[in-house]
Structure formats: structure tokens, C-alpha cells
Amino acid sequence: MVQTPRDQHTRADGHIANSPHGSGNMTLVTTASTALTDLSPADLAAFHASQRTAYDALKASGLKLDLTRGKPSVEQLDLSDALMALPKGHTDADGVDVRNYGGLNGLRELREIFADLLWVEPEQVVIGGNSSLTMMHDVLVQLLLHGGVDSPRPWTQEEKVTFVCPVPGYDRHFTMLANYGIEMVTVPMLEDGPDVAAVEALVKDDPSIKGMWIVPTYANPAGSTISEEKAARLASMPTAAPDFKIFWDNAYAFHHLTEDEAKSADIISLASASGHANRPVMFASTSKITYAGAGVAVLAASAANVKWYLGHQQFASIGPDKLNQLRHIQFFGSAQGVRDHMAKHRAILAPKFEAVQEALSGALDGLGVAHWTRPTGGYFVSLDVLDGTASRIVALAKDAGIALTPAGASFPHGQDPDDRNIRLAPSFPVLDEVRTAMAGVATCVALAAVEKLIEERGGAMYEPSIGNPEGA
């Protein structure tokens, strides 16, 4: 088995080409299998028949499996069950009675833990409720209603507001923007972060571009991690908008799948050093560390941005759930406690991600019809298939009892212009179910690919008895 360089894929003719989607930590493999495009008409028909047989058997097996979202498994949630017996007492180290009002910025000890983890000062940290997405939403809405610390006016008073969105990316980022009528312009997400040259070209002359999203560490779904050099360019680049903001969603900063742990770029310090201290706002949470529905969320930013955020938040809250914050303080104990806890998650997750690789490689290597990422952290594998077949694959999988994220979900408005990308989320099912589901997905990829090639050669179109190309 020959491994090819990251961010490349093997074309059907056996040559190496850059991935048009630039999908993250990608190690692609080839074997002696013949690429489907090199098969004779008779051999292609025989391959099609074999995949139809395999798919029929898959449908007959009565599966009901879900790979739609990156949820922690029951086994992962069980790691944090000691939280159920906490907190012990109702005062923190400063004597604060956590049962009462107040403390809008969160308990000091928890701010210190996350300051250590995120390389900022405790005064730059706000601890919120269980959802970092809520904090992102609050920041966006306050920018729209009031503008930021460096805004000449509220964003709603601008002729239009546009965000740069690396793709493939996180669907909830895109739907949040769409909900407020914010326009989106895409740039490719590469192995070492977004195409910064493309970002720089967009923002330097267009004052309507007010911000950008980025998942900097083990990006959703590409698995890529932004380099320090690219982060520095984003922090320092000239922008036509004086109040340009980077929504730095560091959701997977601690979610390593190997002992070779990626380090997040220090965007707060880089921005401060470049004279744009108020440009980034960082977010994180324990949603995939302790309990997804009962964790704590984190915002980190410049002192001015923190003051701005709390100044508006005071009208929405009299204080967060400090009982839950104290519970987490006692559970973790320190920043090292968080790191140690994440090693337990890695032991559960790593075999599932390896199962994805084994299934895809075993069925698809050498066929020239797909390439995929091999992430070293995070919660997703990004699968690129033959153009025009992603929706078909999702529909086939759905009819076989395997639920996948809708094709195009990793693009604004759910529209992948190439109908090529599928996000795979193997975290929630048990390991054996991951193996079964991914073997089924590989069958669907191969079947959709051979259907497409037969169609392009003037053969029969898709048969409606198997799935619906417009479905899922």
C-alpha cells in the first residue's frame, strides 16, 4: 500500500493531483486495483452488477445506523458521570455562594483553567452556559444591533454584511449567518488552514466583508489545523472594514486522536502584536469533553472585547449557572485535568476513526472514485466522491438504513456546487456499528460511481428503484 502526500488525491489515471476541495490532514492510498475509468464496457457492466448485488444485500440487512452528527457516544458521556455527584458544597475558592445571582464573567478558577488551555489571561476569558454556539450568536447579534468596539455604526446600518466562509465548513455557522440575511463568500479550506491569499484578496477592498468563520484546530469537517504563519496573516492583513472580526471557533482544540497533538495558533497574541487586538473572538466549550447538554462554554478576546461583550450581556443575564461551573472546577481540578480527561476520549474515538479508514481503503483504494481525510483530531472525516454523486450516495445510504449528513451540508445554504463532499461522523455509534456503516457507505460510493460512469458513456440512467438522486 503506497501512501500519497497530504491534500492530494489519486486521479483515475494513477497520477497525483491536488484536491480541489483541499480537505485537511489527508493521507490517500492506492493499490493495484484498476481505476473504473480504465475498465472496458464489459468489465464496467460486471462491476456494476457486483455492486448492485452488494447493495441489495445491504438493504436486506435491515440496518438502522446514524452517522449524521458529531455527537459524543454514551461511552464518552459516561467518562464524566462523576459530575453527577458534584459540586461538593456551594462556595468557590473565593467564597462566592454559587447558588445566588452575579458573576457574569464566570468563576475565577474555571477562567484560570481555560486561560491556561487557550494561552490567554484569565481577565480575557468569560465562562458562559453550556453552548459556545449561543455565545457566537450573541456576539453576532450585538454586532448587528450595536456594532463592535471599533465599528463606525451598527452592522444593520450597513448596505450589506458579508462573511468569508472556508469550505467545507461547519453547517451551523452558515445557517446562523443565513438566518440574519448575511451574505457568504467561500474560500477553500486547505490542509494548513483556509486559502489565506484568497481571504486577503477578498477583504482588502470590500468594506461589506465584516468577518469570517474559522475552526482553527481539527476543522469541521476537513480535520485540518491552521498554521501559525497563516494565523499571523489573518491577524495582520489589511481589511477595508475597520471592524473586521474573526470568529475563531476552537471547538476541537483538545480533541486529539493521536499522541502527536496539534497546537492551536495563538490568535489573540498574534492579533495584538499586529495592532488588531480586537479582531479575533475565540470560542470553546466542554460539549465534547464532559456533557454535551450540560457543559460550559468559553469566550476569549481582548480586554476591550470582553468589556463590550459583558456590557451587552448584562441586559440578557444576571449570571450563568455557577453551580455547573463549580462542578466542572472540582471535576477537572486544573488544566492538566482537562488534558488527562481528553486522553480517555482519544482511547474511545481513535479506533472508530481507524475503522473508517479501513472500510474506505478496503473497498475503494485504486478505483479512482473517492478520496478522504485521515484526521489526527476532531470529530469528522471529509469524503470527496465523483462530482455529481454525493447526493446519490446519501440517498442510497438512506434507503439502506444508514443516515448520513445531507450532501452539501458543509457549504453555505447546503449547496455544494460540485455535489462532491460528504461529512462522516463516526463518534456516536459503537465500534462494530461504525465498521458496518462504513462498509455500507463504501458500497454506496462504488455503486453511485459506476452508475455515473455508465451514464456518461451513454448507458442507462439511474434506476429509480434504488434511492432518489434528489433525496436526503
Side-chain angles (χ1 to χ4, degrees), residues 1 74 78 125 160 183 189 205 222 234 244 246 249 269 273 277 280 323 358 365 374 385 394-395 425 441 464 471:
M1 188 163 59
V74 172
D78 288 347
V125 175
K160 70 173 181 176
E183 297 187 12
M189 189 66 165
D205 297 319
L234 292 177
F244 182 85
I246 299 174
D249 183 2
S269 296
L323 273 170
E358 291 172 356
D365 280 354
R374 184 183 290 272
V385 295
V394 172
V441 169

Side-chain angles (χ1 to χ4, degrees), residues 256-259 261 341-351:
H256 314 293
L257 291 172
T258 72
E259 293 184 1
E261 300 179 354
H341 187 70
M342 293 311 297
K344 299 174 185 176
H345 281 276
R346 181 177 69 216
I348 296 169
L349 284 171

Side-chain angles (χ1 to χ4, degrees), residues 388-396 398-399 406-407 415 419 461-464 466-472:
T389 65
S391 296
R392 173 64 170 161
I393 292 162
V394 172
L396 287 167
K398 180 180 179 181
D399 279 1
Q415 299 297 317
D419 191 23
M461 297 289 286
Y462 297 143
E463 295 191 25
I466 303 181
N468 176 3
E470 301 300 324

